[in-house]
Amino acid sequence: MARPRILVVGAGFAGVECVRRLERGLIPGEAEIALVAPFSYQLYLPLLPQVAAGVLTPQSVAVSLRRSRRHRTRIIPGRAIGVDPKAKICIIRKITDEIVHEPYDYIVLSAGSVTRTFDIPGLVDNARGMKTLAEAAYVRDHVIAQLDLADASHDENERASRLQFVVVGGGYAGTETAACLHRLTTNAVRQYPRLDPKLIKWHLIDIAPKLMPELGDKLGRSALEVLRARGIEVSLGVSVAEAAPEKVTLTDGRVLPCRTLIWTAGVTASPLVTTFDAETVRGRLAVTPEMRLPGFDGVFALGDCAAVPDLSKGDGAVCPPTAQHAMRQGRRLADNLIATLRRQPLKPYVHRDLGLVVDLGGKDAVSKPLGVELHGVPAQAVARGYHWSALRTNVAKVRVMTNWVLNAVAGDDFVRTGFLSRQPAKLRDFEYTDAYLTPAQVREQTASLHPGT
């Protein structure tokens, strides 16, 4: 009798935790496991702002998939671009652009999320994201390039636009990105004697009335005070009306000369979700507390692409798209898959919130571990301790700790590598948002290659 085939789509926090738990929990030969991953690493997303600032090297936050598995999982190097749940086939575009059809008995959708954008003129062409390792590396090069070009320019208007930076999004990603990159440019400007440090301006913009409301009023105000004390201009209740190559127009009428717009205004589920004719909640697949997709045999979903009910809150609440939830959901889903194979009852996902950490660079941070509010050095110790312990491999832990120590002792470097310096670097190019099939295209492909399905 053929072994059941389990296909896990996505190598983020949810997918990798699910695979690791399956490898530990399944008896050898009990099932076949395959993982669809476009890259050979799991990205530790919360530390991307430190990569952009040069505190950490890109390799430090790219945790090798092959170091963290027990060689029982087959890794398919590609991206799932469609799923036919009736035929139980996943359509995959491999990194060579070859299209393959992978059959499954059980599929785990952990495809994650992409940067959420809006219908704002010029946004998708002129904004940079902070969702992928390539984007973080690009943003670092781009910011340092603006300093180099401003230093070489004799045009005051050009200097003004190159030395003004706008970050949109007052959540964790935007706040940490603005804080870390502001610190980078503040330190870097000492190497540019022709540049007046007062000309360098950072703006953090969010449509919400509060900065990081999840932290609570007290810690949110603390973070706001830290940013403003550094000279970052924080504008709340404001968004972008138009994005042009050399200026950004805000909804309050201000026009900022600017050639660097970093967009971190939230995420939305992977476009893979749209290949299903399934119910969604704010763009995420509506699943049961056991993370089953109702009406679809053998389909499970979790992480950023699924609206997993938050049973601790009730009233229809769903779990937010955070790494903390994704990892725990991955472990619970693996247990439920094993229970399904063994015809045992499934258990719902229930969590206990461990708290929140926000690293603002240097000695500044705000944290709320287990409900205890911290700021300054104690909060920084908690934030970095949490991130360090969450890294899965010892190699990653050594690299991150070494980078932190080296940066604390030797300071920043301001090397510009030239990464994609002559490319447009649009959001869709980094996140491949136009690579997915429609439900009709999925059915057409599977029908032509698998008649009768």
Side-chain angles (χ1 to χ4, degrees), residues 52 115 239 268 339 389 450:
T115 299
S239 189
T268 188
S389 64
H450 305 274

Side-chain angles (χ1 to χ4, degrees), residues 99-120:
I99 303 295
V100 298
H101 296 74
E102 186 71 21
Y104 67 84
D105 296 297
Y106 301 95
I107 189 169
V108 177
L109 302 173
S110 56
S113 57
V114 296
T115 299
R116 179 181 62 185
T117 57
F118 300 95
D119 189 19
I120 298 173

Side-chain angles (χ1 to χ4, degrees), residues 129-395:
M130 276 291 290
K131 196 76 173 61
T132 67
L133 193 59
E135 284 174 317
Y138 175 85
V139 165
R140 172 174 167 77
D141 260 24
H142 175 80
V143 168
I144 296 174
Q146 301 315 299
L147 300 180
D148 288 344
L149 291 166
D151 183 63
S153 177
H154 298 290
D155 186 325
E156 293 303 319
N157 291 329
E158 180 185 354
R159 278 193 172 192
S161 65
R162 293 197 183 279
L163 296 179
Q164 198 150 203
F165 307 89
V166 176
V167 179
V168 181
Y172 302 111
T175 301
E176 291 185 338
T177 296
C180 290
L181 287 175
H182 174 267
R183 185 171 178 270
L184 171 70
T185 56
T186 299
N187 293 334
V189 77
R190 300 168 188 163
Q191 310 296 321
Y192 298 85
R194 296 182 64 247
L195 293 182
D196 182 354
K198 295 180 180 178
L199 292 177
I200 299 178
K201 298 179 181 179
W202 280 87
H203 300 262
L204 178 60
I205 294 167
D206 195 272
I207 194 65
K210 296 180 181 179
L211 189 70
M212 291 184 295
E214 301 91 342
L215 286 173
D217 290 343
K218 184 178 179 181
L219 284 183
R221 283 196 302 270
S222 295
L224 184 61
E225 290 169 2
V226 167
L227 297 178
R228 285 177 170 165
R230 288 188 185 178
I232 299 174
E233 185 174 330
V234 181
S235 301
L236 300 174
V238 178
S239 189
V240 173
E242 183 178 357
E246 298 180 13
K247 65 181 181 181
V248 174
T249 304
L250 304 182
T251 53
D252 62 3
R254 283 181 292 165
V255 178
L256 304 177
C258 170
R259 303 193 188 203
T260 307
L261 173 61
I262 302 174
W263 185 265
T264 66
V267 297
T268 188
S270 165
L272 183 65
V273 166
T274 64
T275 68
F276 286 83
D277 290 320
E279 181 184 354
T280 60
V281 177
R282 296 180 182 176
R284 302 162 70 187
L285 290 170
V287 297
T288 68
E290 296 78 21
M291 290 169 283
R292 282 184 177 274
L293 187 61
F296 294 85
D297 181 49
V299 179
F300 296 80
L302 73 167
D304 290 7
C305 71
V308 180
D310 189 342
L311 299 182
S312 66
K313 294 181 179 178
D315 296 327
V318 297
C319 297
T322 65
Q324 188 179 137
H325 280 291
M327 288 190 289
R328 294 175 177 184
Q329 289 170 8
R331 292 191 285 268
R332 171 58 68 199
L333 181 47
D335 291 342
N336 282 343
L337 269 172
I338 295 171
T340 300
L341 293 175
R342 298 173 184 172
R343 301 185 184 281
Q344 297 172 350
L346 277 59
K347 296 181 180 179
Y349 171 69
V350 182
H351 76 99
R352 182 190 175 200
D353 191 6
L354 294 179
L356 308 165
V357 295
V358 182
D359 188 337
L360 299 175
K363 298 179 181 179
D364 295 317
V366 290
S367 301
K368 196 175 182 180
L370 300 175
V372 179
E373 296 185 349
L374 301 172
H375 56 85
V377 174
Q380 181 67 281
V382 169
R384 294 203 170 183
Y386 171 79
H387 290 314
W388 186 83
S389 64
L391 293 165
R392 291 193 337 276
T393 67
N394 290 330
V395 171

